[in-house]
Amino acid sequence: MENVKIFIENRKGNPEVEFKLEEILKGCKLSFFDNIDRESGVRGIYPEKDNVAVLSVGQLDLVVRDASSLPYSLPNGIELYALLNKEGAPVGKNDELKKYWAVLGKSGLKDIAVKFSGYDERAKWGKVVLAGFGPGDPSLLTRKAEFNLYKADQIFYDDLTNHEYLDKFCGQKIYVGKRKGRHKFDQELINNMLYQAALEGKWVVRLKGGDPLIFGRGAEEYHFLARRFITSEIIPGVTSAFAAAADAVIPFTERSMASSVAFLSGHDLSKLKIPQADTLVFYMGASMQQDLAMRIVDEGWHKNTPVAIVHNASSKDRKIYRGSLRELITEGSGLPSPAIIIVGKTAAAYHHQSNKWLYTGVSVNDWEAEENMVHNPLIRINAFTPKKHVFSNLNKYNRIVFTSRHAVIHFFKELFAAGKDARDLSGIVVDCIGSHTAGALKNYGLVVKPLTGEESASAMARYYSDNNVSGVRILIPGSERGNQFLADTLKKAGNWVEQQTLYAIEKNTAIVKQDLSKFSGVVFTSPKTVEVFYDVYGHIPAHLQIKCRGSQTAQKLNELSLKSVKIGA
Ligand code: SAH
């Protein structure tokens, strides 16, 4: 380049800049400008417009200005060719860039670059490599990260990094772990430590757990440095979610089950938005796992959705929990931080592969989210027309006792048919059994806490006698014969009881007989499902696992199979 048009900010006050440029660009014809308007004929560019922009439209070749006032990032097509020392510049830690003149020009001016290379102060600086350490197992480190660790003068590491592994590297190790609650201060301190090390010419490796850019604030560190013209580079790492997936053999995007996966932070539930995705993967959620699970259910996820939690993924002492949202809510996993929480059908894929369950109830509501549940109802519900007076004169009852979900559904069906609604129940105590019945009541606007945890008529009868319920007018809507024991107990205690049959549970007339050898388990939802199962299949093959709802169902199983059965959720 023979003729070089150079704009110098504050040219008059800094004559030494011109001399310096003449020395650097020896052999070129230089024209200097300090007032673009007057001398270059270019209008209104400085100070109203950023003079860096001038370069991009080609009126000047180089712009020299105070390095601390440059925009970040530089406009496309503009390159910083050098930072030149200012004479007598102020020395202060926070305004490091005030010490330099920045020389900017259009990108790609090779001969200019060569001429400035020997004068650029940046040549004395080091480099910061932000490298992902991976989830903990050092053998998951990339070769590129390891190469940089060997090369490093200083290695900054924090809590999630396996620090014994670092012993083999010669560089100075500096711990910059963050204690909870001091994030802001610490992050700024870390940024400045990296910056100072680079200014001193050191090759710096900043190790970040997992991948530097996944919930890692790696980008903040990168931009802090890049804004100050420190060369920095990001090396990706294996994020802990991927290690957790590998440990628990959970394919986030298992074909036919999930085509999307979302990575979320479980750190602050008030900020949590759950996107539409098939698999949810939570970082930083271990300390609030139960609240988190409740929140996911509140957002419409089924309680039976599988959950897996992997603590210390990739390490020898890793632990894996598997359950459902329901189980996590009621029992917790017992696994502390650090842990990855995976929610979605694929979280159980490992368990249930070729693992079909036969569901014998009418509705799949309860276990439907479980993988491989095959719905094959053995029973059907036959609705009964109720006695007229029940719904025309509800006032005569003090109490209504619901003993099943179907009782609720059929009761309200008849209530609506009689031209009434939930308001006509005002003043009447409403009791229910178990969470399924309570759930059904909620659909009709009645929030009722189940009287007993155990879902059985005998537990309910026990409750009433323990609480001396007597002299009350009670309506028990429900199935044919279903509530006889409860009704008899209440009557004996001095209550007036009316049973209203609203439906009968009957054998399904259209059962498709299954090859049970292809199933690993069966779900019974009522005594009748057990009865019909024996009717259709003769016995329960030994290889089948059993889940059943309600103590009466378990009792029926015990009667028919002489097997001891554990009551499921
Ligand atoms: N950048 C990191 C995440 C940092 S956030 C990454 O890509 O993995 C910190 C969270 O990461 C922890 O709360 C935990 O949820 C998760 N985590 C980190 N290491 C883990 C490990 N070995 N096992 C399980 N979870 C881990």
Side-chain angles (χ1 to χ4, degrees):
M1 191 179 283
E2 295 210 335
N3 295 313
V4 187
K5 286 199 271 179
I6 306 173
F7 169 80
I8 301 178
E9 180 185 46
N10 243 334
R11 181 178 163 215
K12 298 270 151 58
N14 299 284
E16 80 283 357
V17 184
E18 243 172 80
F19 299 136
K20 186 109 185 166
L21 289 169
E22 267 160 3
E23 176 192 333
I24 297 169
L25 297 169
K26 234 182 294 157
C28 302
K29 188 171 169 294
L30 307 184
S31 332
F32 292 109
F33 302 91
D34 55 5
N35 182 321
I36 293 172
D37 251 9
R38 191 157 27 86
E39 297 183 35
S40 70
V42 182
R43 292 196 58 77
I45 310 156
Y46 189 80
E48 289 86 355
K49 272 196 184 171
D50 194 339
N51 58 347
V52 174
V54 179
L55 291 157
S56 62
V57 293
Q59 288 110 346
L60 289 164
D61 298 307
L62 295 176
V63 167
V64 179
R65 61 186 277 192
D66 181 81
S68 68
S69 67
L70 294 184
Y72 179 72
S73 54
L74 291 177
N76 275 340
I78 300 296
E79 192 170 328
L80 177 65
Y81 283 99
L83 291 179
L84 305 178
N85 259 332
K86 265 188 200 172
E87 267 166 42
V91 185
K93 278 219 155 170
N94 293 332
D95 47 13
E96 181 67 29
L97 289 175
K98 282 212 158 62
K99 295 183 195 163
Y100 308 107
W101 291 111
V103 180
L104 302 141
K106 274 171 278 186
S107 311
L109 306 174
K110 284 211 186 86
D111 36 355
I112 293 278
V114 171
K115 285 187 165 28
F116 276 100
S117 61
Y119 295 87
D120 189 358
E121 288 300 313
R122 290 177 299 175
K124 300 176 188 158
W125 298 349
K127 174 177 179 174
V128 178
V129 176
L130 300 163
F133 187 79
D137 175 358
S139 61
L140 290 173
L141 203 69
T142 60
R143 287 169 65 189
K144 190 170 183 182
E146 193 179 54
F147 169 81
N148 275 279
L149 282 167
Y150 276 116
K151 218 171 153 176
D153 300 309
Q154 288 189 333
I155 299 167
F156 289 79
Y157 68 99
D158 56 31
D159 295 311
L160 291 172
T161 315
N162 185 338
H163 58 92
E164 289 97 56
Y165 166 77
L166 300 179
D167 292 345
K168 68 173 179 176
F169 303 107
C170 308
Q172 183 191 1
K173 285 105 197 160
I174 301 164
Y175 171 75
V176 288
K178 295 179 202 168
R179 263 159 288 151
K180 231 183 171 175
R182 285 189 53 198
H183 273 220
K184 208 167 172 203
F185 168 72
D186 284 346
Q187 188 60 56
E188 214 172 293
L189 189 67
I190 294 167
N191 291 348
N192 276 307
M193 286 167 91
L194 297 173
Y195 182 40
Q196 290 307 323
L199 287 177
E200 287 162 20
K202 301 204 162 77
W203 193 282
V204 180
V205 173
R206 161 68 167 132
L207 283 175
K208 314 269 299 175
D211 180 85
L213 300 183
I214 296 280
F215 298 122
R217 307 185 75 170
E220 275 174 52
E221 293 173 15
Y222 176 89
H223 290 303
F224 182 91
L225 298 162
R227 173 173 282 131
R228 289 162 180 77
F229 304 105
I230 300 294
T231 310
S232 36
E233 183 187 356
I234 297 177
I235 300 177
V238 174
T239 190
S240 43
F242 290 166
D247 284 351
V249 197
I250 293 173
F252 292 154
T253 54
E254 170 75 11
R255 203 162 49 92
S256 83
M257 253 185 245
S259 56
S260 56
V261 49
F263 296 107
L264 302 112
S265 161
H267 176 64
D268 183 352
L269 294 188
S270 68
K271 292 194 187 132
L272 177 63
K273 279 194 224 100
I274 299 184
Q276 288 238 318
D278 297 324
T279 309
L280 304 178
V281 179
F282 288 92
Y283 292 72
M284 297 175 277
S287 62
M288 308 239 276
Q289 51 190 268
Q290 282 167 291
D291 292 341
L292 178 64
M294 259 184 267
R295 176 68 186 280
I296 299 169
V297 170
D298 284 348
E299 301 250 346
W301 285 64
H302 199 284
K303 280 194 170 171
N304 293 323
T305 307
V307 177
I309 303 184
V310 184
H311 164 70
N312 273 343
S314 86
S315 80
K316 272 192 227 89
D317 61 347
R318 67 155 185 247
K319 291 195 178 67
I320 300 175
Y321 161 89
R322 290 178 201 269
S324 63
L325 284 171
R326 181 203 306 276
E327 285 156 357
L328 185 58
I329 290 169
T330 50
E331 292 150 29
S333 71
L335 295 183
S337 186
I340 289 290
I341 302 175
I342 305 163
V343 180
K345 283 190 173 183
T346 64
Y350 177 56
H351 270 343
H352 291 289
Q353 230 133 58
S354 73
N355 199 3
K356 286 195 290 183
W357 278 69
L358 189 65
Y359 185 91
T360 60
V362 188
S363 149
V364 277
N365 259 349
D366 312 319
W367 276 282
E368 71 191 347
E370 283 193 16
E371 184 44 27
N372 296 340
M373 194 60 79
V374 175
H375 189 203
N376 186 235
L378 297 179
I379 53 168
R380 61 180 192 144
I381 305 288
N382 191 8
F384 274 43
T385 312
K387 297 170 209 152
K388 280 252 160 25
H389 71 90
V390 169
F391 289 92
S392 58
N393 192 8
L394 286 163
N395 287 343
K396 70 177 178 199
Y397 307 106
N398 315 120
R399 203 153 184 150
I400 304 181
V401 181
F402 289 101
T403 57
S404 76
R405 198 155 48 90
H406 293 296
V408 174
I409 293 166
H410 290 274
F411 178 87
F412 277 91
K413 194 174 135 224
E414 293 302 334
L415 185 71
F416 297 152
K420 301 187 173 194
D421 60 33
R423 286 171 297 183
D424 293 279
L425 304 181
S426 99
I428 304 174
V429 176
V430 174
D431 287 340
C432 82
I433 197 172
S435 59
H436 297 99
T437 312
L441 282 166
K442 206 171 168 190
N443 290 340
Y444 297 97
L446 299 182
V447 180
V448 178
K449 195 165 169 280
L451 287 186
T452 54
E454 187 189 323
E455 231 173 294
S456 75
S458 50
M460 196 101 168
R462 220 176 307 125
Y463 172 88
Y464 287 126
S465 64
D466 289 351
N467 288 278
N468 301 321
V469 174
S470 179
V472 181
R473 301 175 69 83
I474 300 174
L475 172 66
I476 310 180
S479 71
E480 201 185 27
R481 298 190 308 268
N483 302 307
Q484 201 53 51
F485 171 73
L486 180 61
D488 290 346
T489 315
L490 284 167
K491 275 182 199 160
K492 262 188 233 146
N495 297 288
W496 180 86
V497 180
E498 179 159 3
Q499 287 191 75
Q500 172 59 60
T501 303
L502 293 176
Y503 65 93
I505 298 176
E506 297 175 349
K507 180 174 172 179
N508 183 1
T509 46
I511 295 169
V512 183
K513 211 171 161 186
Q514 305 288 324
D515 174 0
L516 295 179
S517 69
K518 298 232 161 74
F519 289 86
S520 58
V522 54
V523 179
F524 296 109
T525 57
S526 66
K528 189 80 181 171
T529 57
V530 181
E531 245 176 66
V532 179
F533 189 93
Y534 272 89
D535 222 24
V536 175
Y537 296 102
H539 73 293
I540 303 179
H543 76 277
L544 282 186
Q545 298 171 60
I546 296 172
K547 278 187 189 176
C548 86
R549 171 154 12 104
S551 59
Q552 286 174 353
T553 312
Q555 206 177 325
K556 187 59 129 194
L557 269 163
N558 290 336
E559 262 169 41
L560 294 179
S561 68
L562 300 175
K563 249 186 177 181
S564 170
V565 173
K566 196 173 157 257
I567 304 166

